[in-house]
Amino acid sequence: MVRHIILWQLKDELSEEEKDRVKVEIKEGLEGLVGKVLGLLYVNVQIDKLKSSNADLMLFSELEDEEALKGYAVHPEHVKVADGVVRPNTKQRVCIDYEA
């Protein structure tokens, strides 16, 4: 199994209301990929954070293997969410992938 974890910071120019809306859209979009993307076993997008956090949201996902991760990256449904709501609204992305 491969774990794929991402932390994002949203763009500074977004209002708090816009940030709240974007976080929900990202959460719904990415969590909705389970069952659509072959090998994607689990997705949780955490949008509620403590004040001590320096990231705005986190993706925790599990995939069958590294090949499934590669397929996920280019899957049209994933690209649709990434290009439609994630990339236009984020300023920084940090990722770690590892075998569990």
Side-chain angles (χ1 to χ4, degrees):
M1 177 187 324
V2 168
R3 290 194 174 142
H4 173 64
I5 300 171
I6 299 178
L7 298 171
W8 288 285
Q9 288 181 337
L10 296 175
K11 290 184 176 178
D12 295 329
E13 58 266 24
L14 296 173
S15 69
E16 287 306 310
E17 294 80 21
E18 289 170 320
K19 287 181 179 183
D20 290 343
R21 177 187 51 79
V22 164
K23 287 190 284 187
V24 169
E25 288 178 11
I26 291 172
K27 179 177 179 67
E28 290 175 353
L30 293 175
E31 289 181 356
L33 295 176
V34 176
K36 295 179 181 177
V37 177
L38 186 65
L40 181 61
L41 305 173
Y42 176 81
V43 175
N44 175 262
V45 177
Q46 184 60 45
I47 60 175
D48 298 316
K49 61 187 176 95
L50 299 177
K51 291 183 181 188
S52 57
S53 301
N54 62 9
D56 292 303
L57 64 161
M58 178 197 76
L59 165 74
F60 177 89
S61 57
E62 294 179 328
L63 299 102
E64 288 179 357
D65 53 27
E66 196 169 350
E67 286 304 310
L69 177 62
K70 289 176 186 176
Y72 167 77
V74 297
H75 191 282
E77 292 294 321
H78 172 254
V79 171
K80 181 179 171 182
V81 176
D83 288 347
V85 68
V86 177
R87 291 184 183 110
N89 293 294
T90 56
K91 67 177 184 178
Q92 186 170 3
R93 173 188 182 269
V94 178
C95 174
I96 186 169
D97 300 320
Y98 65 95
E99 289 192 31

